[in-house]
Amino acid sequence: MARFNKLQVLDAIVRTGIVPVYYNGDADVAKRVLKACYEGGIRAFEFTNRGDFAQDVFAELSRYAALECPEMILGIGSIVDAPTAALYLQLGANFVVGPLFNPDVARVCNRRLVPYTPGCGSVSEIGFAQEAGCDLCKIFPAGSVGGPSFVKNIKAPMPWTMIMATGAVEPAEDNLREWFKAGVTAVGMGSKLFPKEAVSTGGWHIITALCRNAIGYIQKARGGA
């Protein structure tokens, strides 16, 4: 069962403007990364369903977050079908993210009032997702579908649209400024936020600093809001 309700989840994502996207088959490493992000100010974290027995790692991470990172909202990503979404909801996922839009996943999440953020690559896909109750839509891969220009062009005729850009996003001031000035609600960020050397050597402070800096850049891009 989710620990946070839909409004709390969306508020945290909107407020911080960033959702780290991470997978590791080692639960201990995943916990360290989660904690490092938490200490850097992150309050919504997407663990991805990308490896064998990922659900076991997620279950352990979910319990850990509740005890050690009580304000962290843990979600699951890379979900493409309803049965998998239901599995992770039982394990405590507070939000569900996918690389594509699947109406069946929307139905499962809506039934539990859990936010579903599907991956969309066109205006029509975003429209269909919104009809299915998806408040926040992910453009993916963001760099390939048109980048910040795509976001700006969507927001013109559909200004109510809430977009999370994932792909081609970096924890750099220029990059984040471009995305937020275009009108994104938030960004999803993966490997650039987790340098391989930092993870392999236990340099968790590096991840914490990258998260803290990214949040600062986002606030600056928003005009200090």
Side-chain angles (χ1 to χ4, degrees):
M1 298 286 290
R3 292 195 300 120
F4 299 88
N5 65 42
K6 188 174 187 178
L7 295 179
Q8 290 173 315
V9 175
L10 293 174
D11 176 70
I13 293 175
V14 171
R15 181 163 32 87
T16 59
I18 180 173
V19 179
V21 179
Y22 186 74
Y23 171 78
N24 196 299
D26 186 324
D28 290 333
V29 173
K31 291 175 186 177
R32 293 277 194 159
V33 169
L34 182 79
K35 184 71 169 179
C37 290
Y38 188 69
E39 293 178 347
I42 297 297
R43 290 299 179 266
F45 186 98
E46 176 189 335
F47 184 79
T48 58
N49 178 49
R50 293 185 179 175
D52 291 338
F53 305 106
Q55 72 276 5
D56 295 336
V57 178
F58 183 85
E60 194 168 337
L61 195 62
S62 183
R63 296 187 187 96
Y64 175 82
L67 293 173
E68 301 296 331
C69 309
E71 295 179 18
M72 181 66 91
I73 299 173
L74 182 63
I76 186 66
S78 300
I79 299 300
V80 299
D81 59 79
T84 306
L87 168 64
Y88 280 98
L89 291 180
Q90 286 299 106
L91 296 176
N94 295 278
F95 61 93
V96 174
V97 183
L100 50 78
F101 170 55
N102 184 332
D104 291 334
V105 174
R107 293 187 186 95
V108 168
C109 292
N110 288 340
R111 191 170 290 118
R112 298 284 190 92
L113 297 183
V114 170
Y116 170 42
T117 297
C120 302
S122 71
V123 178
S124 294
E125 287 183 332
I126 291 173
F128 293 141
Q130 290 172 336
E131 288 178 6
C134 301
D135 297 283
L136 180 66
C137 293
K138 178 174 78 169
I139 57 168
F140 177 79
S144 300
V145 301
S149 176
F150 181 66
V151 176
K152 186 177 181 179
N153 289 329
I154 289 172
K155 296 282 284 188
M158 300 166 63
W160 57 83
T161 301
M162 297 172 62
I163 295 172
M164 180 168 72
T166 304
V169 179
E170 302 176 9
E173 185 171 6
D174 290 347
N175 181 276
L176 290 170
R177 181 174 60 247
E178 191 173 4
W179 283 111
F180 280 87
K181 290 302 181 183
V184 299
T185 297
V187 294
M189 200 179 307
S191 60
K192 299 291 185 179
L193 206 56
F194 312 109
K196 289 184 179 179
E197 186 175 352
V199 175
S200 63
T201 62
W204 313 119
H205 65 285
I206 296 174
I207 296 173
T208 295
L210 285 170
C211 291
R212 185 176 294 118
N213 290 341
I215 290 174
Y217 296 147
I218 290 169
Q219 291 176 340
K220 185 176 180 181
R222 287 172 165 173

